[in-house]
Amino acid sequence: MQDHISSLNIAPMHSPWIEFRPNRPDAQARVLCFPYAGGSAQVYHALARGMPENVELGAVQLPGRWDRRREPLLTRLSDA
């Protein structure tokens, strides 16, 4: 399986919805995390720091949370 994973071409992502910390554009794998209700991407900072160098962790940052707090909150799940 490791050989299969190392052959994947994972393009860097740039989006206000997903926060990558640390940003690892050459990552071989990417993990996407969703915060609990009312939470923000910051709950995953410590986990992201503990990831191997070839893994990039992205945490979803919804409008109305943390650094996007001035944006209107979502009122429908379909908007997410």
Coordinates of all heavy atoms in Angstrom, one line a residue:
M1 N 0.8 -1.2 0.0 CA 0.0 0.0 0.0 C 0.9 1.3 0.0 O 0.5 2.2 -0.6 CB -0.9 0.0 1.2 CG -1.7 1.2 1.3 SD -3.5 0.8 1.5 CE -4.1 2.4 1.9
Q2 N 2.0 1.2 0.7 CA 2.8 2.4 0.8 C 3.3 2.8 -0.6 O 3.4 4.0 -0.9 CB 4.0 2.1 1.7 CG 5.0 3.3 1.9 CD 4.3 4.5 2.5 OE1 3.4 4.4 3.3 NE2 4.7 5.7 2.1
D3 N 3.6 1.8 -1.5 CA 4.1 2.1 -2.8 C 3.0 2.9 -3.6 O 3.2 3.8 -4.4 CB 4.5 0.9 -3.6 CG 5.7 0.3 -3.0 OD1 6.5 1.0 -2.5 OD2 5.9 -1.0 -3.1
H4 N 1.7 2.5 -3.4 CA 0.6 3.1 -4.1 C 0.4 4.5 -3.6 O 0.2 5.5 -4.4 CB -0.7 2.3 -3.8 CG -1.9 3.0 -4.3 ND1 -2.2 3.0 -5.7 CD2 -2.9 3.6 -3.7 CE1 -3.3 3.7 -5.9 NE2 -3.8 4.0 -4.7
I5 N 0.5 4.7 -2.3 CA 0.4 6.1 -1.7 C 1.5 7.0 -2.2 O 1.3 8.1 -2.6 CB 0.4 6.0 -0.2 CG1 -0.9 5.4 0.3 CG2 0.5 7.4 0.4 CD1 -1.0 5.2 1.8
S6 N 2.7 6.5 -2.2 CA 3.9 7.4 -2.7 C 3.8 7.8 -4.1 O 4.4 8.7 -4.5 CB 5.2 6.7 -2.3 OG 5.3 5.5 -3.1
S7 N 3.0 7.0 -4.9 CA 2.9 7.4 -6.3 C 1.7 8.4 -6.6 O 1.6 8.8 -7.8 CB 2.6 6.1 -7.2 OG 1.4 5.5 -6.9
L8 N 1.0 8.7 -5.6 CA -0.1 9.7 -5.9 C 0.4 11.1 -6.1 O 1.4 11.5 -5.5 CB -1.1 9.7 -4.7 CG -1.9 8.5 -4.4 CD1 -2.7 8.6 -3.1 CD2 -2.8 8.1 -5.5
N9 N -0.2 11.8 -7.0 CA 0.1 13.2 -7.2 C -0.9 14.1 -6.6 O -2.1 14.2 -7.1 CB 0.2 13.5 -8.7 CG 0.6 14.9 -9.0 OD1 1.0 15.7 -8.1 ND2 0.4 15.3 -10.3
I10 N -0.6 14.7 -5.4 CA -1.6 15.5 -4.7 C -1.3 16.9 -4.9 O -0.2 17.4 -4.5 CB -1.5 15.1 -3.2 CG1 -1.8 13.6 -3.0 CG2 -2.5 16.0 -2.4 CD1 -2.3 13.1 -1.8
A11 N -2.1 17.6 -5.6 CA -1.9 19.0 -5.9 C -2.2 19.9 -4.7 O -3.1 19.6 -3.9 CB -2.9 19.4 -7.1
P12 N -1.4 20.9 -4.5 CA -1.7 21.8 -3.4 C -3.1 22.4 -3.5 O -3.6 22.7 -4.6 CB -0.6 22.9 -3.5 CG 0.4 22.3 -4.4 CD -0.3 21.3 -5.3
M13 N -3.7 22.7 -2.4 CA -5.1 23.3 -2.3 C -5.0 24.6 -1.7 O -4.3 24.8 -0.7 CB -6.0 22.4 -1.5 CG -6.3 21.0 -2.1 SD -7.3 20.0 -1.0 CE -8.9 21.0 -1.1
H14 N -5.8 25.6 -2.2 CA -5.9 26.9 -1.7 C -7.4 27.3 -1.6 O -8.0 27.3 -2.6 CB -5.1 27.9 -2.5 CG -3.7 27.6 -2.7 ND1 -2.8 27.8 -1.7 CD2 -3.0 27.1 -3.7 CE1 -1.6 27.4 -2.1 NE2 -1.7 26.9 -3.3
S15 N -7.9 27.5 -0.4 CA -9.3 27.7 -0.2 C -9.5 28.4 1.2 O -8.8 28.0 2.1 CB -10.1 26.4 -0.2 OG -11.4 26.7 0.2
P16 N -10.4 29.4 1.3 CA -10.6 30.0 2.6 C -11.4 29.0 3.5 O -11.4 29.2 4.7 CB -11.5 31.2 2.2 CG -12.1 30.9 0.9 CD -11.1 30.1 0.2
W17 N -11.9 28.0 2.9 CA -12.7 27.0 3.7 C -11.8 26.0 4.4 O -12.2 25.3 5.3 CB -13.6 26.2 2.8 CG -14.8 27.1 2.3 CD1 -14.8 28.1 1.4 CD2 -16.1 26.9 2.8 NE1 -16.0 28.6 1.3 CE2 -16.9 27.9 2.1 CE3 -16.7 26.1 3.7 CZ2 -18.2 28.0 2.4 CZ3 -18.1 26.2 4.0 CH2 -18.8 27.2 3.3
I18 N -10.5 25.8 3.9 CA -9.6 24.8 4.5 C -8.3 25.4 4.9 O -7.7 26.1 4.1 CB -9.4 23.7 3.4 CG1 -10.7 23.1 3.0 CG2 -8.5 22.6 4.0 CD1 -10.5 22.1 1.8
E19 N -8.0 25.2 6.1 CA -6.8 25.8 6.7 C -5.7 24.7 6.8 O -6.0 23.7 7.4 CB -7.1 26.4 8.1 CG -6.0 27.0 8.8 CD -6.4 27.6 10.1 OE1 -7.2 28.5 10.1 OE2 -6.0 27.1 11.1
F20 N -4.5 24.9 6.2 CA -3.5 23.9 6.3 C -2.4 24.5 7.2 O -1.8 25.5 6.9 CB -2.9 23.7 4.9 CG -3.8 22.9 4.0 CD1 -4.6 23.6 3.0 CD2 -4.0 21.6 4.1 CE1 -5.5 23.0 2.2 CE2 -4.9 20.9 3.3 CZ -5.6 21.6 2.4
R21 N -2.1 23.8 8.3 CA -1.0 24.2 9.2 C -0.3 22.9 9.7 O -1.0 22.1 10.3 CB -1.6 24.9 10.4 CG -2.1 26.3 10.0 CD -2.4 27.1 11.2 NE -2.9 28.4 10.8 CZ -3.0 29.4 11.6 NH1 -2.7 29.3 12.8 NH2 -3.5 30.5 11.1
P22 N 1.0 22.8 9.5 CA 1.8 23.6 8.6 C 1.4 23.3 7.2 O 1.0 22.2 6.8 CB 3.2 23.2 8.9 CG 3.1 21.8 9.4 CD 1.7 21.7 10.1
N23 N 1.7 24.3 6.3 CA 1.5 24.1 4.9 C 2.6 23.3 4.3 O 3.7 23.6 4.4 CB 1.4 25.5 4.2 CG 1.0 25.5 2.8 OD1 0.8 24.4 2.2 ND2 0.8 26.6 2.2
R24 N 2.2 22.1 3.7 CA 3.2 21.2 3.2 C 2.8 20.9 1.7 O 2.2 19.9 1.4 CB 3.2 19.9 4.0 CG 3.7 20.2 5.4 CD 3.7 18.9 6.2 NE 4.3 19.2 7.5 CZ 4.1 18.4 8.6 NH1 3.3 17.4 8.5 NH2 4.6 18.8 9.7
P25 N 3.1 21.8 0.8 CA 2.7 21.6 -0.6 C 3.3 20.4 -1.3 O 2.7 19.9 -2.3 CB 3.2 22.9 -1.3 CG 4.2 23.5 -0.4 CD 3.9 23.0 1.0
D26 N 4.3 19.8 -0.8 CA 4.9 18.6 -1.3 C 4.4 17.3 -0.6 O 5.0 16.2 -0.8 CB 6.4 18.6 -1.3 CG 7.0 19.8 -2.2 OD1 6.3 20.1 -3.2 OD2 8.0 20.3 -1.8
A27 N 3.3 17.4 0.1 CA 2.8 16.3 0.9 C 2.4 15.1 -0.1 O 2.0 15.4 -1.2 CB 1.6 16.7 1.7
Q28 N 2.6 13.9 0.4 CA 2.2 12.7 -0.4 C 0.8 12.3 0.0 O 0.1 11.5 -0.7 CB 3.1 11.6 -0.1 CG 4.5 11.9 -0.6 CD 5.5 10.7 -0.3 OE1 5.2 10.0 0.6 NE2 6.6 10.7 -1.0
A29 N 0.3 12.8 1.1 CA -1.1 12.5 1.6 C -1.7 13.7 2.3 O -0.9 14.5 2.8 CB -1.1 11.3 2.5
R30 N -3.0 13.8 2.2 CA -3.7 15.0 2.8 C -4.8 14.4 3.6 O -5.6 13.6 3.2 CB -4.2 15.9 1.7 CG -4.7 17.2 2.2 CD -5.0 18.2 1.1 NE -3.7 18.7 0.7 CZ -3.3 18.7 -0.6 NH1 -4.0 18.2 -1.5 NH2 -2.1 19.3 -0.9
V31 N -4.9 14.9 4.9 CA -6.0 14.5 5.8 C -6.9 15.7 6.0 O -6.4 16.8 6.3 CB -5.5 14.1 7.2 CG1 -6.6 13.7 8.1 CG2 -4.5 12.9 7.0
L32 N -8.2 15.5 5.8 CA -9.2 16.6 5.9 C -10.0 16.4 7.2 O -10.6 15.3 7.4 CB -10.1 16.7 4.7 CG -11.0 17.9 4.6 CD1 -10.3 19.2 4.6 CD2 -11.9 17.8 3.4
C33 N -10.1 17.4 8.1 CA -10.8 17.3 9.4 C -11.9 18.3 9.4 O -11.7 19.5 9.0 CB -9.8 17.5 10.5 SG -8.4 16.3 10.6
F34 N -13.0 17.9 10.0 CA -14.1 18.8 10.2 C -14.3 19.0 11.7 O -14.4 18.1 12.5 CB -15.4 18.2 9.6 CG -15.4 18.0 8.2 CD1 -14.8 17.0 7.5 CD2 -16.0 19.0 7.4 CE1 -14.7 16.8 6.2 CE2 -16.0 18.9 6.0 CZ -15.4 17.8 5.4
P35 N -14.4 20.3 12.2 CA -14.6 20.5 13.6 C -16.0 20.2 14.1 O -16.9 20.0 13.3 CB -14.4 22.1 13.7 CG -14.7 22.6 12.4 CD -14.3 21.5 11.4
Y36 N -16.1 20.0 15.4 CA -17.4 19.7 16.0 C -18.3 20.9 15.8 O -17.8 22.0 15.5 CB -17.2 19.3 17.4 CG -16.4 20.3 18.2 CD1 -17.0 21.4 18.8 CD2 -15.0 20.1 18.4 CE1 -16.2 22.4 19.5 CE2 -14.3 21.1 19.1 CZ -14.9 22.2 19.6 OH -14.1 23.1 20.3
A37 N -19.6 20.7 16.1 CA -20.5 21.8 16.0 C -20.1 23.0 16.9 O -19.8 22.8 18.1 CB -21.9 21.4 16.4
G38 N -20.0 24.2 16.3 CA -19.6 25.4 17.0 C -18.1 25.5 17.1 O -17.6 26.5 17.6
G39 N -17.3 24.5 16.6 CA -15.9 24.6 16.7 C -15.2 25.3 15.5 O -15.9 25.7 14.6
S40 N -13.9 25.3 15.5 CA -13.2 25.9 14.4 C -12.0 25.1 14.1 O -11.7 24.1 14.8 CB -12.7 27.4 14.8 OG -11.8 27.3 15.8
A41 N -11.3 25.4 13.0 CA -10.1 24.7 12.6 C -9.0 24.6 13.6 O -8.2 23.7 13.6 CB -9.6 25.3 11.3
Q42 N -9.0 25.6 14.5 CA -7.9 25.7 15.5 C -7.8 24.4 16.4 O -6.8 24.2 17.0 CB -8.1 26.9 16.4 CG -7.6 28.2 15.7 CD -8.4 28.5 14.4 OE1 -9.6 28.3 14.4 NE2 -7.8 29.1 13.4
V43 N -8.9 23.7 16.5 CA -8.9 22.5 17.4 C -7.9 21.5 16.9 O -7.5 20.5 17.6 CB -10.3 21.9 17.7 CG1 -11.2 22.9 18.3 CG2 -10.9 21.4 16.4
Y44 N -7.5 21.6 15.6 CA -6.6 20.6 15.0 C -5.2 21.0 14.9 O -4.3 20.3 14.3 CB -7.2 20.2 13.6 CG -8.5 19.5 13.7 CD1 -9.7 20.2 13.3 CD2 -8.6 18.2 14.2 CE1 -10.9 19.6 13.4 CE2 -9.8 17.6 14.3 CZ -10.9 18.3 13.9 OH -12.2 17.6 14.0
H45 N -4.8 22.2 15.4 CA -3.4 22.7 15.3 C -2.4 21.7 15.9 O -1.4 21.4 15.3 CB -3.3 24.1 15.9 CG -3.8 25.2 15.0 ND1 -3.8 26.5 15.4 CD2 -4.5 25.1 13.8 CE1 -4.4 27.2 14.4 NE2 -4.8 26.4 13.5
A46 N -2.7 21.2 17.1 CA -1.7 20.3 17.7 C -1.6 19.0 17.0 O -0.5 18.5 16.8 CB -2.1 20.1 19.2
L47 N -2.7 18.5 16.5 CA -2.7 17.3 15.7 C -1.9 17.5 14.4 O -1.1 16.6 14.0 CB -4.1 16.8 15.4 CG -4.2 15.6 14.5 CD1 -3.6 14.4 15.3 CD2 -5.7 15.3 14.2
A48 N -2.0 18.6 13.8 CA -1.3 18.9 12.5 C 0.2 19.0 12.8 O 1.0 18.5 11.9 CB -1.8 20.2 11.9
R49 N 0.6 19.5 13.9 CA 2.0 19.6 14.2 C 2.7 18.2 14.4 O 3.8 18.0 14.2 CB 2.3 20.5 15.4 CG 2.1 22.0 15.1 CD 2.6 22.8 16.3 NE 1.8 22.6 17.5 CZ 0.7 23.3 17.8 NH1 0.3 24.2 17.1 NH2 0.1 23.0 19.0
G50 N 1.8 17.3 14.8 CA 2.4 15.9 15.0 C 2.3 15.0 13.8 O 2.8 13.9 13.9
M51 N 1.9 15.5 12.7 CA 1.8 14.7 11.5 C 3.2 14.5 10.9 O 4.0 15.3 11.0 CB 0.9 15.3 10.4 CG -0.5 15.3 10.7 SD -1.1 13.6 10.7 CE -2.9 13.9 10.7
P52 N 3.4 13.3 10.3 CA 4.7 13.1 9.6 C 4.9 14.2 8.5 O 3.9 14.8 8.0 CB 4.5 11.7 8.9 CG 3.4 11.1 9.7 CD 2.5 12.2 10.2
E53 N 6.1 14.4 8.1 CA 6.5 15.4 7.2 C 5.8 15.3 5.8 O 5.6 16.2 5.1 CB 8.0 15.5 7.0 CG 8.7 16.1 8.2 CD 8.4 17.5 8.4 OE1 8.3 18.3 7.5 OE2 8.2 17.8 9.6
N54 N 5.4 14.0 5.4 CA 4.8 13.8 4.1 C 3.3 13.8 4.2 O 2.7 13.5 3.2 CB 5.3 12.5 3.5 CG 4.9 11.3 4.4 OD1 4.5 11.4 5.5 ND2 4.9 10.1 3.7
V55 N 2.7 14.2 5.3 CA 1.3 14.3 5.5 C 0.9 15.7 5.8 O 1.5 16.4 6.7 CB 0.8 13.3 6.6 CG1 -0.7 13.5 6.8 CG2 1.1 11.9 6.2
E56 N -0.1 16.3 5.1 CA -0.6 17.6 5.3 C -2.0 17.5 5.9 O -2.9 16.8 5.3 CB -0.6 18.4 4.1 CG -1.1 19.8 4.2 CD -1.0 20.6 2.9 OE1 -1.6 20.2 1.9 OE2 -0.3 21.7 2.9
L57 N -2.3 18.2 7.0 CA -3.6 18.2 7.6 C -4.3 19.4 7.3 O -3.8 20.5 7.4 CB -3.5 18.0 9.1 CG -4.8 17.8 9.8 CD1 -4.7 16.8 11.0 CD2 -5.4 19.1 10.4
G58 N -5.5 19.3 6.7 CA -6.4 20.5 6.4 C -7.6 20.4 7.3 O -8.2 19.4 7.5
A59 N -7.9 21.6 7.9 CA -9.1 21.6 8.8 C -10.1 22.6 8.2 O -9.7 23.7 7.8 CB -8.7 22.1 10.2
V60 N -11.3 22.2 8.1 CA -12.3 23.1 7.6 C -12.6 24.2 8.5 O -12.8 24.1 9.7 CB -13.6 22.2 7.3 CG1 -14.8 23.1 6.9 CG2 -13.4 21.2 6.3
Q61 N -12.6 25.4 7.9 CA -12.9 26.7 8.7 C -14.2 27.3 8.1 O -14.2 27.8 7.0 CB -11.8 27.7 8.6 CG -11.9 28.9 9.4 CD -11.7 28.6 10.9 OE1 -12.5 27.9 11.5 NE2 -10.6 29.0 11.5
L62 N -15.3 27.0 8.7 CA -16.6 27.5 8.2 C -16.8 29.0 8.4 O -16.2 29.6 9.3 CB -17.8 26.8 8.9 CG -17.8 25.3 8.7 CD1 -18.9 24.7 9.6 CD2 -18.1 25.0 7.3
P63 N -17.6 29.7 7.6 CA -17.9 31.1 7.7 C -18.5 31.3 9.1 O -19.2 30.5 9.6 CB -18.9 31.4 6.6 CG -18.7 30.3 5.6 CD -18.2 29.1 6.4
G64 N -18.1 32.5 9.7 CA -18.6 32.8 11.0 C -17.7 32.3 12.2 O -18.0 32.5 13.3
R65 N -16.7 31.5 11.9 CA -15.8 31.0 12.9 C -14.4 31.6 12.8 O -13.9 31.9 11.8 CB -15.7 29.4 12.7 CG -17.0 28.7 12.6 CD -17.6 28.6 14.0 NE -18.8 27.8 13.9 CZ -19.9 28.2 14.5 NH1 -19.9 29.3 15.3 NH2 -21.0 27.4 14.4
W66 N -13.8 31.8 14.0 CA -12.4 32.3 14.2 C -12.1 33.4 13.2 O -12.7 34.5 13.3 CB -11.5 31.1 14.0 CG -10.1 31.4 14.6 CD1 -9.0 31.7 13.9 CD2 -9.8 31.4 16.0 NE1 -8.0 31.9 14.8 CE2 -8.4 31.7 16.1 CE3 -10.5 31.2 17.2 CZ2 -7.8 31.9 17.3 CZ3 -9.8 31.4 18.4 CH2 -8.5 31.7 18.4
D67 N -11.2 33.2 12.3 CA -10.7 34.3 11.4 C -11.7 34.6 10.3 O -11.6 35.6 9.5 CB -9.3 34.0 10.8 CG -9.3 32.8 10.0 OD1 -10.2 31.9 10.2 OD2 -8.3 32.6 9.2
R68 N -12.8 33.9 10.2 CA -13.9 34.1 9.2 C -15.1 34.6 10.0 O -16.3 34.6 9.5 CB -14.2 32.9 8.4 CG -13.0 32.4 7.6 CD -13.4 31.3 6.7 NE -14.3 31.7 5.7 CZ -15.0 30.9 4.9 NH1 -14.8 29.6 5.0 NH2 -15.8 31.3 4.0
R69 N -15.0 35.1 11.2 CA -16.1 35.5 12.1 C -16.9 36.6 11.5 O -18.1 36.8 11.9 CB -15.6 35.8 13.5 CG -14.7 37.0 13.6 CD -14.2 37.1 15.0 NE -13.1 38.0 15.1 CZ -11.8 37.7 14.8 NH1 -11.5 36.5 14.5 NH2 -10.9 38.6 14.9
R70 N -16.4 37.4 10.6 CA -17.2 38.6 10.1 C -18.1 38.1 8.9 O -18.9 38.9 8.4 CB -16.2 39.7 9.6 CG -15.6 40.4 10.8 CD -14.9 41.6 10.4 NE -14.5 42.3 11.6 CZ -13.2 42.4 12.0 NH1 -12.2 41.8 11.4 NH2 -12.9 43.1 13.1
E71 N -17.9 36.9 8.5 CA -18.7 36.4 7.4 C -20.0 35.8 8.0 O -20.0 35.3 9.1 CB -18.0 35.3 6.7 CG -16.7 35.7 6.0 CD -16.0 34.6 5.3 OE1 -16.6 33.7 4.8 OE2 -14.7 34.6 5.4
P72 N -21.1 35.9 7.3 CA -22.4 35.4 7.8 C -22.3 33.9 8.1 O -21.7 33.1 7.3 CB -23.4 35.6 6.7 CG -22.7 36.5 5.7 CD -21.3 36.4 5.9
L73 N -22.9 33.4 9.2 CA -23.0 32.0 9.5 C -23.8 31.3 8.5 O -24.8 31.9 7.9 CB -23.6 31.8 10.9 CG -22.8 32.3 12.1 CD1 -23.7 32.3 13.3 CD2 -21.6 31.4 12.3
L74 N -23.5 30.0 8.3 CA -24.3 29.2 7.4 C -25.7 28.9 8.1 O -25.7 28.6 9.3 CB -23.6 28.0 7.0 CG -22.3 28.1 6.2 CD1 -21.6 26.8 6.0 CD2 -22.5 28.9 5.0
T75 N -26.7 28.9 7.3 CA -28.0 28.5 7.9 C -28.6 27.2 7.3 O -29.5 26.7 7.8 CB -29.0 29.6 7.7 OG1 -29.2 29.9 6.3 CG2 -28.6 30.9 8.4
R76 N -27.9 26.7 6.3 CA -28.3 25.5 5.7 C -27.1 24.6 5.4 O -26.1 25.0 5.0 CB -29.0 25.7 4.3 CG -30.3 26.5 4.4 CD -30.9 26.6 3.1 NE -30.0 27.0 2.0 CZ -30.2 27.8 1.0 NH1 -31.4 28.3 0.9 NH2 -29.3 28.0 0.1
L77 N -27.2 23.3 5.8 CA -26.1 22.4 5.6 C -25.7 22.3 4.1 O -24.5 22.1 3.8 CB -26.5 21.0 6.1 CG -25.5 19.9 6.1 CD1 -24.2 20.4 6.9 CD2 -26.0 18.6 6.6
S78 N -26.7 22.4 3.2 CA -26.4 22.3 1.8 C -25.4 23.4 1.4 O -24.7 23.2 0.4 CB -27.6 22.3 1.0 OG -28.3 23.5 1.2
D79 N -25.3 24.5 2.0 CA -24.4 25.6 1.7 C -22.9 25.2 2.0 O -22.0 25.7 1.4 CB -24.8 26.9 2.4 CG -26.1 27.5 1.9 OD1 -26.5 27.1 0.8 OD2 -26.7 28.3 2.7
A80 N -22.8 24.3 3.0 CA -21.4 23.9 3.3 C -20.9 23.0 2.3 O -19.7 22.9 2.0 CB -21.5 23.2 4.7

